[in-house]
Amino acid sequence: MKLENLISKGTNASVFRDGNTAIKVFNKDFPKTEVLNEALNTSRVEETGLAIPSISEVSINNGQWAISMNFIEGKTLYQLMKENPDQIQSYIEKMVDLQLEIHSKRSPLLNKLKDKMVRQINSLDCIDNVKKYDLLTRLDGMPKHIKVCHGDFNPRNIIVAKDKWYVLDWVHASQGNASADVARTYLLLSLDDAKTADLYLDAFCKKSQTEKRYVQTWLPIVAAAQLTKNKPEEKDLLMKWLDVVDYE
Ligand SMILES: Nc1ncnc2c1ncn2[C@@H]1O[C@H](COP(=O)(O)OP(=O)(O)OP(=O)(O)O)[C@@H](O)[C@H]1O
Ligand SMILES: [Mg+2]
């Protein structure tokens, strides 16, 4: 494989293009279990029939793990939203349709979203035990569903190709409550731009006939989960969301 044509550099990995192949090369010392977990999650999701890149190889080169998959030609939805701000409403609607399609799938062997959230809340040092208990009780009281959830569904992980829209980056895929996945997308969009986030939540709730209040009940939980990423620039907003107890 040729690693010359760099197309993206992230925190944990760089993505290269070699002809029709995209190669995600993880940083040296990035844990093998996480790479294999990403590959396994992705291939489980591929079995549901969703339009996603198909993994062709998992390899190691000079101590760096890599996942190879087919290269999807197109722009990310994030790029398109920046280029065509007047089309934001139609982009958001299509994004919601795509997320609803994901939620319509089942994959019984994927990890449970709720188990992951319990682990994340328990691992936080920046909140006290009372707050943890509050969040865990709230989480426990939420309806238990088994819908496929992307876990990081946002415009940067969507590629708009000629024929259709593809979703990338399935490392956080799980099965669980769709509204938690929607609350997470709302949170990710809010960290970027509050107006787009509100358009998204309106569109989702309208299309899926979900009460906004129900999605909002998840906000303190998804904010706690995001706090585990330890990004200083996000901390103020996330701590504020933790304390929004109820919207009723
Ligand atoms: N199969 C693919 N086809 C085309 N482009 C891809 C493919 N896989 C990844 N990319 C490009 O690389 C970028 C990062 O890929 P991915 O989301 O899988 O990694 P990441 O670890 O989330 O990176 P980051 O930390 O920057 O978000 C994507 O936004 C996309 O532009
Ligand atoms: Mg990504």
Side-chain angles (χ1 to χ4, degrees):
M1 62 179 77
K2 267 207 332 261
L3 301 182
E4 287 162 8
N5 191 1
L6 179 72
I7 51 180
S8 151
K9 188 154 176 44
T11 337
N12 301 321
S14 301
V15 180
F16 296 86
R17 178 179 184 174
D18 180 6
N20 291 326
T21 307
I23 308 154
K24 187 167 181 175
V25 180
F26 293 84
N27 299 342
K28 256 201 167 62
D29 302 324
F30 189 72
K32 173 167 68 178
T33 35
E34 292 196 30
V35 176
L36 298 180
N37 183 54
E38 174 162 345
L40 181 60
N41 279 348
T42 310
S43 57
R44 289 207 199 289
V45 174
E46 190 187 345
E47 287 177 346
T48 68
L50 287 166
I52 75 169
S54 174
I55 293 180
S56 49
E57 190 179 331
V58 177
S59 53
I60 184 163
N61 258 306
N62 301 321
Q64 283 184 282
W65 284 93
I67 296 178
S68 304
M69 62 203 124
N70 59 309
F71 179 82
I72 313 285
E73 192 87 56
K75 289 183 178 176
T76 65
L77 181 60
Y78 180 79
Q79 261 174 295
L80 287 174
M81 283 177 162
K82 290 269 172 267
E83 286 172 19
N84 312 301
D86 53 311
Q87 290 189 50
I88 190 85
Q89 186 64 35
S90 106
Y91 287 147
I92 295 267
E93 304 242 337
K94 281 205 199 123
M95 181 176 157
V96 166
D97 290 339
L98 191 55
Q99 195 170 19
L100 285 168
E101 190 192 350
I102 296 171
H103 294 159
S104 75
K105 302 295 186 189
R106 301 291 176 269
S107 180
L109 295 178
L110 276 177
N111 297 327
K112 301 272 197 312
L113 176 56
K114 197 178 151 190
D115 294 348
K116 181 172 174 186
M117 288 175 147
V118 169
R119 277 197 303 274
Q120 287 174 315
I121 293 170
N122 276 322
S123 77
L124 286 174
D125 308 321
C126 58
I127 58 173
D128 61 29
N129 285 339
V130 177
K131 189 82 215 164
K132 272 187 197 174
Y133 182 78
D134 260 17
L135 288 164
L136 291 170
T137 308
R138 175 182 289 247
L139 177 54
D140 201 48
M142 299 307 259
K144 291 154 191 69
H145 295 162
I146 51 163
K147 297 176 175 175
V148 170
C149 294
H150 181 278
D152 195 18
F153 191 74
N154 74 81
R156 285 187 169 86
N157 284 332
I158 298 170
I159 295 198
V160 178
K162 269 211 193 75
D163 56 336
K164 54 185 152 204
W165 290 28
Y166 289 81
V167 186
L168 309 174
D169 205 2
W170 290 89
V171 58
H172 301 294
S174 64
Q175 46 174 334
N177 189 310
S179 292
D181 196 47
V182 172
R184 173 144 178 88
T185 298
Y186 178 68
L187 169 72
L188 294 171
L189 291 172
S190 298
L191 291 167
D192 232 27
D193 171 40
K195 238 172 68 195
T196 309
D198 286 327
L199 283 180
Y200 160 78
L201 191 56
D202 285 345
F204 187 90
C205 289
K206 202 163 161 204
K207 273 189 197 277
S208 63
Q209 301 192 326
T210 304
E211 275 205 57
K212 227 191 247 182
R213 218 180 47 188
Y214 177 54
V215 177
Q216 285 164 338
T217 315
W218 283 99
L219 293 182
I221 299 168
V222 296
Q226 180 67 11
L227 273 172
T228 60
K229 306 259 152 87
N230 277 320
K231 295 190 181 165
E233 70 277 16
E234 297 178 358
K235 191 156 178 196
D236 284 350
L237 181 81
L238 296 176
M239 292 303 279
K240 211 168 72 198
W241 283 28
L242 275 192
D243 286 325
V244 179
V245 178
D246 269 309
Y247 290 81
E248 284 94 325

